[in-house]
Each structure stands twice: as C-alpha cells, then as structure tokens.
Amino acid sequence: LHYVGYILSGGHLDVKIEEGIIVADMPYYGDDSPNCCPKQHTVQTYAIRGGALVKLSEKRAPIAKSE
C-alpha cells in the first residue's frame, strides 16, 4: 500500500470506485441545515495521478426526499 492523500469530509463519507475513478459522496450542511438533516450533498471525483490523489470534479445537488 502507498499513501496518496485524503478526502476531507467532516465525518460522513460514502466512497466507491467506478471505472477507476474514486467517487466520494458526503452531506452538505448549509447555514439553515440541522446536523441531522442536510438538504444537499456533495459528490467529488478523484483519481490517483503521479502518486497523488487529485480532485477531478465537485458538484452539489439536493438530497432526494424519500417517500
């Protein structure tokens, strides 16, 4: 194993690998979001390049409401 970096998440983090890309999904807490119930989430993508973790993209989207 070789250390390449870390993903700053604030504690809650879902990570998966899709077609060689690391996908990190985490809640986004805005000023009006209680700690229990974020209204949005952030999805970041990463790759390992030159022995380092490199962020490729970041997007924020509303959390889908469950029925």
Side-chain angles (χ1 to χ4, degrees), residues 2-5 19-22 45-57:
H2 178 76
Y3 178 80
V4 296
E19 299 180 16
I21 300 296
I22 301 164
T45 59
Y46 295 84
I48 299 172
R49 299 211 173 126
L53 188 64
V54 177
K55 186 189 291 186
L56 303 175
S57 69

Side-chain angles (χ1 to χ4, degrees), residues 29-53:
Y29 297 95
D31 292 338
D32 64 341
S33 296
N35 196 32
C36 69
C37 313
K39 295 178 182 172
Q40 296 181 325
H41 66 117
T42 301
V43 177
Q44 299 172 339
T45 59
Y46 295 84
I48 299 172
R49 299 211 173 126
L53 188 64

